[in-house]
Amino acid sequence: VIQRPPALEKLLEILRSLPNVGPKMSERIAFHILRMPEDKIRDFIDILEASHAEVRPCPICGHWDDSSPCRVCQDPSRDKTVLCVVENSQDVQAVSRIKNFKGIYHVLGGTLSPLEGIGPDDLQITSLLKRLETEPIQEVILATNSDMEGESTAQYISKQILSVSAKIRGNGRPEGIKITRPAQGLPSGGELEYMDELTLTHAFDGRREFDRN
Amino acid sequence: VIQRPPALEKLLEILRSLPNVGPKMSERIAFHILRMPEDKIRDFIDILEASHAEVRPCPICGHWDDSSPCRVCQDPSRDKTVLCVVENSQDVQAVSRIKNFKGIYHVLGGTLSPLEGIGPDDLQITSLLKRLETEPIQEVILATNSDMEGESTAQYISKQILSVSAKIRGNGRPEGIKITRPAQGLPSGGELEYMDELTLTHAFDGRREFDRN
């Protein structure tokens, strides 16, 4: 086997450390980068530096933004009584596409995952509970993914909120905080024959009376 | 929709321009990069700069290396009479794993592809023909991929070599240059029932007498 230049080996190694980049893909990306003209690689490096320096998690909600607090937390038009808890910043982006939701957010930074050694202290749960004590939040939407990790993370947070609510009640804060979770069921355009059992079960359990108008 | 920081938008854009990186993957990689600690991102940038500056195509064979000519062209132990033509530098690496091959290489930099507008002038074909005139090459192995583009590129180059050989013959060079192509057939471990028709056809057309010893 022909020895490779150490600089190329290092490039391949760091590319392989990126999420979902395997050995074959790291090679393709590496040679793409090597072939970039001088000004393009300069751009690439400038963008890496600028984004890494400017974009940081919001100290209040954890959403990644270039202003601090983030533009969502600073937006006076938002409904500060409804808080949507999500796993990561990309989810904030996704939820923000829902026209009917104009509340605020809290980014956990992941989900509980005993297998990967991620416990409650690795997520932004304490800061969430603090916010419930100090901010006028009336409803918490637990919008973690509808997979096992997301489900059990929602369960865990819900219990924590209930115990905090009990404390808050003594401090004169409004009695209960409403805890909700997005509906589960058939995705839009979903064909019954291709749905898994769990999705069908949720869809049937959550069925509603048909609106005949 | 919440507006994203311009620096993040730019990062996503440049990541999407990398081969095989779609929108979802660009997001995952972007947040992975944003989360890198300061020293890690510094490393990443240093490696990008160093590899881009140091690793360049060899002026003789086109293989990407940090010495010029590359370490293969400089290696005195190689058989300079057998030249293996490949599509790209990764293929040099692959062929170099074959214990029985100790020849030299020529990297085309791609394949002919009328659909993508890649013609003979976009590949290192002229430089290949030049080498045949000046170097003591006796056999050219056309090791382009065994797909349509690789096949037609091999065809094209083979014709070019034949016409050059005719010229060379007049100049007193050894009569013919042997042109070969790697065998086509069943891959090692390949199960017949999963092989496509073309692979089976090649395997049967190229069948050899069974060695009973």
Side-chain angles (χ1 to χ4, degrees):
Chain A
V1 179
I2 298 161
Q3 208 206 312
R4 284 187 136 157
L8 175 55
E9 289 286 9
K10 277 189 194 165
L11 178 61
L12 291 168
E13 190 189 320
I14 203 149
L15 291 174
R16 276 196 307 269
S17 77
L18 299 176
N20 297 64
V21 178
K24 279 287 152 216
M25 190 154 173
S26 72
E27 302 235 345
R28 241 173 262 168
I29 295 177
F31 280 96
H32 180 94
I33 289 171
L34 294 181
R35 274 194 219 101
M36 281 181 178
E38 200 58 52
D39 57 330
K40 189 84 192 284
I41 189 84
R42 216 38 272 168
D43 271 4
F44 189 17
I45 288 171
D46 289 347
I47 290 167
L48 284 173
E49 271 176 335
S51 59
H52 194 267
E54 292 169 20
V55 186
R56 316 213 142 248
C58 170
I60 298 171
C61 75
H63 179 50
W64 290 70
D65 197 22
D66 58 358
S67 61
S68 176
C70 77
R71 62 192 80 205
V72 186
C73 287
Q74 281 187 16
D75 182 352
S77 75
R78 296 219 157 237
D79 180 356
K80 312 269 184 188
T81 66
V82 185
L83 181 135
C84 176
V85 174
V86 290
E87 294 180 13
N88 57 47
S89 226
Q90 294 101 297
D91 296 332
V92 172
Q93 214 62 35
V95 174
S96 80
R97 281 183 217 112
I98 307 171
K99 285 211 183 75
N100 293 338
F101 180 76
K102 282 287 166 244
I104 52 178
Y105 296 88
H106 191 83
V107 177
L108 294 171
T111 42
L112 296 174
S113 172
L115 281 172
E116 292 175 53
I118 301 173
D121 293 342
D122 301 307
L123 305 179
Q124 294 300 320
I125 295 177
T126 310
S127 59
L128 169 65
L129 300 176
K130 272 266 159 61
R131 291 183 72 183
L132 299 183
E133 290 185 40
T134 53
E135 297 180 31
I137 294 155
Q138 284 165 17
E139 179 180 354
V140 173
I141 304 172
L142 297 173
T144 51
N145 289 345
S146 69
D147 53 13
M148 258 217 338
E149 287 86 2
E151 208 58 65
S152 64
T153 305
Q155 291 269 358
Y156 178 86
I157 293 176
S158 149
K159 274 179 204 150
Q160 297 294 308
I161 294 176
L162 287 173
S163 76
V164 170
S165 294
K167 267 205 298 172
I168 294 173
R169 218 172 294 154
N171 291 343
R173 272 288 309 279
E175 215 184 33
I177 289 168
K178 195 170 155 190
I179 304 174
T180 58
R181 183 131 172 80
Q184 288 197 303
L186 303 173
S188 167
E191 293 181 45
L192 236 68
E193 60 174 317
Y194 296 120
M195 293 296 135
D196 62 292
E197 202 184 314
L198 204 58
T199 301
L200 285 173
T201 304
H202 286 310
F204 274 62
D205 284 353
R207 69 188 180 276
R208 294 189 189 190
E209 192 153 357
F210 189 60
D211 188 354
R212 268 170 282 194
N213 300 317
Chain B
V1 179
I2 297 160
Q3 209 207 311
R4 283 186 138 157
L8 175 55
E9 288 286 10
K10 276 188 193 166
L11 178 60
L12 290 168
E13 190 189 320
I14 204 151
L15 291 174
R16 276 196 306 268
S17 78
L18 299 175
N20 296 64
V21 177
K24 279 287 152 215
M25 191 153 174
S26 72
E27 302 236 344
R28 242 174 261 169
I29 295 177
F31 279 97
H32 181 93
I33 289 172
L34 293 181
R35 275 194 218 99
M36 282 181 176
E38 199 58 50
D39 57 330
K40 190 83 192 285
I41 189 84
R42 216 36 274 166
D43 271 4
F44 189 17
I45 287 171
D46 289 348
I47 290 167
L48 284 173
E49 271 176 336
S51 59
H52 194 268
E54 292 169 21
V55 186
R56 315 213 141 249
C58 170
I60 298 170
C61 74
H63 178 52
W64 289 70
D65 198 21
D66 58 359
S67 61
S68 176
C70 77
R71 61 193 78 206
V72 186
C73 287
Q74 283 187 15
D75 182 352
S77 74
R78 296 218 159 238
D79 180 354
K80 313 269 184 187
T81 66
V82 185
L83 181 134
C84 175
V85 174
V86 291
E87 295 181 12
N88 57 47
S89 225
Q90 293 103 295
D91 296 332
V92 172
Q93 213 62 35
V95 174
S96 79
R97 283 184 216 111
I98 306 170
K99 287 210 183 75
N100 293 337
F101 179 77
K102 283 285 167 247
I104 52 177
Y105 296 89
H106 191 82
V107 177
L108 293 172
T111 42
L112 295 174
S113 172
L115 280 173
E116 293 174 52
I118 302 173
D121 293 342
D122 301 307
L123 304 179
Q124 295 300 320
I125 295 177
T126 310
S127 59
L128 169 65
L129 300 177
K130 272 266 159 59
R131 292 183 72 182
L132 300 183
E133 291 186 39
T134 55
E135 297 180 32
I137 294 156
Q138 286 165 17
E139 178 181 355
V140 174
I141 305 172
L142 296 174
T144 50
N145 289 344
S146 69
D147 53 13
M148 259 216 338
E149 286 87 2
E151 208 58 65
S152 63
T153 305
Q155 292 270 357
Y156 178 86
I157 294 175
S158 149
K159 273 180 207 154
Q160 297 295 307
I161 295 176
L162 287 173
S163 76
V164 170
S165 294
K167 268 205 298 173
I168 293 172
R169 218 172 293 157
N171 293 342
R173 274 286 310 278
E175 215 184 32
I177 290 168
K178 193 170 157 191
I179 303 174
T180 57
R181 183 132 173 79
Q184 288 197 303
L186 303 173
S188 166
E191 294 181 45
L192 237 67
E193 57 174 319
Y194 297 120
M195 294 297 136
D196 62 290
E197 202 184 314
L198 205 57
T199 301
L200 286 173
T201 304
H202 287 310
F204 274 61
D205 284 353
R207 68 188 180 277
R208 294 188 188 190
E209 193 153 356
F210 190 60
D211 186 356
R212 266 169 283 196
N213 299 318

